[in-house]
Amino acid sequence: MEAKNKLRMTKQRQVILEELRMVKTHPTADDMYQMLRKRMPKISLGTVYRNLEILSESGIIQKLDVGGTQKRFDGDTTIHSHVRCVACGRVGDIDVKPNCNLEAEAQKMTDYEIIRHRLEFAGLCPLCQQKRKATA
Amino acid sequence: MEAKNKLRMTKQRQVILEELRMVKTHPTADDMYQMLRKRMPKISLGTVYRNLEILSESGIIQKLDVGGTQKRFDGDTTIHSHVRCVACGRVGDIDVKPNCNLEAEAQKMTDYEIIRHRLEFAGLCPLCQQKRKATA
DNA sequence: TTTGGTGCAAAGGCTTTGCAGAAAG
DNA sequence: CTTTCTGCAAAGCCTTTGCACCAAA
C-alpha cells in the first residue's frame, strides 16, 4: 500500500507496460488480460489488476475513471481529455487543453481546496454513428 | 428496460424522490437506503436501486458517475459541476458554467459525434483540510 | 539470500434480478 | 382486473486478497 517498496521489473510487469503503451484503446483490466494471454498464456488476471494498480500509483500509467462500470487504463500520461461512446463504451482521446483556468474559476465558488479537474466528453464513435444510420 | 411503461407513483418512489431532493449530499444508493429506512423501515435496497435507476432514466433525477466505486444521485437536474473530496469521497456542487464552447472545441478534434460533456473537480473538502492541518 | 511478485482460487463490494405476493390505476 | 412494483434472497460482475511457491536483485 505504501510506496516505500522498490519495484521489480518482472516479465509480467514489463509485458503489461509494453502492451498498454502499444494500444490507444484505453483497455479495461480484462481487455488487457485477454491481450496479454496471447503473449503470456499463464499470466493471471490478479497479476494484471495488481500491476495496473501499482503502475498507476507510481504515475507510470494512468487509471481512468470515465463513465461505465469498469476502470480503464491509459499508457499516455500527458494531460488530455477523453470521449466515451455512449453506445459501445469505447473511449478515445481528445487533445483539448481547456485554456480557461477552470480550477481558479471553480476555486472562487467553493470551500473545497481544488487540486485538479477532469473534463470528459460523451458521444457516438464513428462505428456507432454508422450503425445508427443503418437502423434509421 | 424500455421507457414505454407508465410509472406509478408508489409510496416508495415518492419517498425516495422527496428524500433525494431534500439533501444536497449526492448520496450513493446505500446512503439513500440508510436515510430512507428511518421513514420507511421495510423498504428494500433493491427497491432503492430500481427506483433511482428508473427516475434517472426518466430524467427526473441525475445519476452521477464521479470518481470512486459507487454511483451517486442528485435531485438537482440543472447543469452544474461537481467537486469530489479525494480524502473522504464527499461530493459537492460547483456552479461553473464553462463559458467556452467546449463541445464545439472538442468536436473539431475528433470523429466522435459529441453529445455532452462532464466537468469534475477533485480536491479537499473543508473537513479534510482541517484534519490535514491537525496532522501536519 | 532476501523480499517482492506470481498464479490460483476464494472472498468482497456494489448492483442487478427472479419470484411470489402486494398495490396502483 | 391488469400491470407495475415491492421485499427478499440469490446471483452477477468486477476487483481484491490470502497463500504457498517463484524469481528478481
Side-chain angles (χ1 to χ4, degrees):
Chain A
M1 217 153 235
E2 293 301 313
K4 317 238 166 184
N5 312 345
K6 37 196 106 111
L7 294 189
R8 288 182 183 173
M9 190 44 75
T10 60
K11 278 269 166 54
Q12 289 83 343
R13 189 161 294 162
Q14 190 169 265
V15 171
I16 288 171
L17 194 49
E18 278 179 30
E19 286 290 320
L20 182 57
R21 285 182 168 157
M22 200 168 288
V23 300
K24 50 267 167 250
T25 53
H26 313 87
T28 63
D30 195 70
D31 290 339
M32 290 284 321
Y33 179 52
Q34 301 306 334
M35 292 157 49
L36 291 160
R37 295 175 74 170
K38 292 173 189 160
R39 276 181 69 175
M40 188 177 269
K42 304 220 40 158
I43 197 171
S44 78
L45 185 55
T47 294
V48 175
Y49 271 102
R50 268 183 299 233
N51 277 300
L52 290 172
E53 185 61 33
I54 289 172
L55 291 170
S56 63
E57 271 177 6
S58 312
I60 298 171
I61 65 172
Q62 214 182 144
K63 193 201 289 196
L64 306 182
D65 224 343
V66 296
T69 54
Q70 296 173 65
K71 301 262 185 285
R72 291 173 176 271
F73 297 86
D74 193 340
D76 176 1
T77 56
T78 63
I79 296 174
H80 60 280
S81 302
H82 295 101
V83 222
R84 175 169 204 283
C85 178
V86 297
C88 70
R90 191 191 317 270
V91 174
D93 291 316
I94 291 193
D95 196 15
V96 176
K97 294 187 181 48
N99 46 348
C100 18
N101 47 349
L102 289 169
E103 295 183 15
E105 201 55 20
Q107 187 64 85
K108 290 179 199 160
M109 304 183 169
T110 184
D111 46 5
Y112 279 60
E113 177 188 323
I114 305 286
I115 295 177
R116 55 186 139 73
H117 75 276
R118 195 167 83 205
L119 176 58
E120 279 167 26
F121 297 88
L124 279 178
C125 75
L127 254 64
C128 290
Q129 287 172 46
Q130 289 201 333
K131 281 184 201 151
R132 199 171 56 166
K133 279 182 201 163
T135 308
Chain B
M1 215 155 236
E2 293 302 312
K4 317 237 165 185
N5 313 344
K6 38 197 106 114
L7 295 189
R8 288 179 182 175
M9 190 43 74
T10 61
K11 277 267 165 53
Q12 290 83 343
R13 188 160 296 163
Q14 190 168 263
V15 171
I16 289 171
L17 193 50
E18 278 178 32
E19 285 291 319
L20 181 59
R21 284 182 168 158
M22 200 170 287
V23 299
K24 51 265 166 251
T25 53
H26 313 87
T28 63
D30 195 71
D31 291 339
M32 291 283 323
Y33 178 53
Q34 301 306 334
M35 293 157 49
L36 291 160
R37 295 175 72 168
K38 293 173 188 159
R39 277 181 68 175
M40 188 177 269
K42 303 221 41 159
I43 197 171
S44 78
L45 185 54
T47 294
V48 174
Y49 271 102
R50 267 183 297 233
N51 277 299
L52 289 172
E53 185 61 34
I54 289 172
L55 291 170
S56 63
E57 271 178 6
S58 311
I60 298 171
I61 66 172
Q62 213 181 145
K63 191 200 291 195
L64 305 181
D65 223 341
V66 296
T69 53
Q70 297 173 66
K71 300 261 185 288
R72 291 174 175 271
F73 297 86
D74 193 340
D76 175 0
T77 56
T78 63
I79 295 174
H80 61 281
S81 302
H82 296 101
V83 222
R84 176 170 203 280
C85 177
V86 296
C88 71
R90 189 191 319 270
V91 173
D93 290 316
I94 291 193
D95 195 14
V96 176
K97 294 185 181 50
N99 46 348
C100 19
N101 47 348
L102 288 170
E103 295 183 16
E105 200 58 19
Q107 187 64 86
K108 289 179 200 160
M109 305 186 168
T110 184
D111 46 3
Y112 279 60
E113 178 187 323
I114 306 286
I115 296 176
R116 55 184 139 74
H117 74 276
R118 196 167 81 202
L119 176 58
E120 281 168 25
F121 297 88
L124 279 177
C125 73
L127 255 65
C128 290
Q129 286 173 47
Q130 289 200 333
K131 279 184 204 152
R132 198 171 57 166
K133 278 183 200 163
T135 308

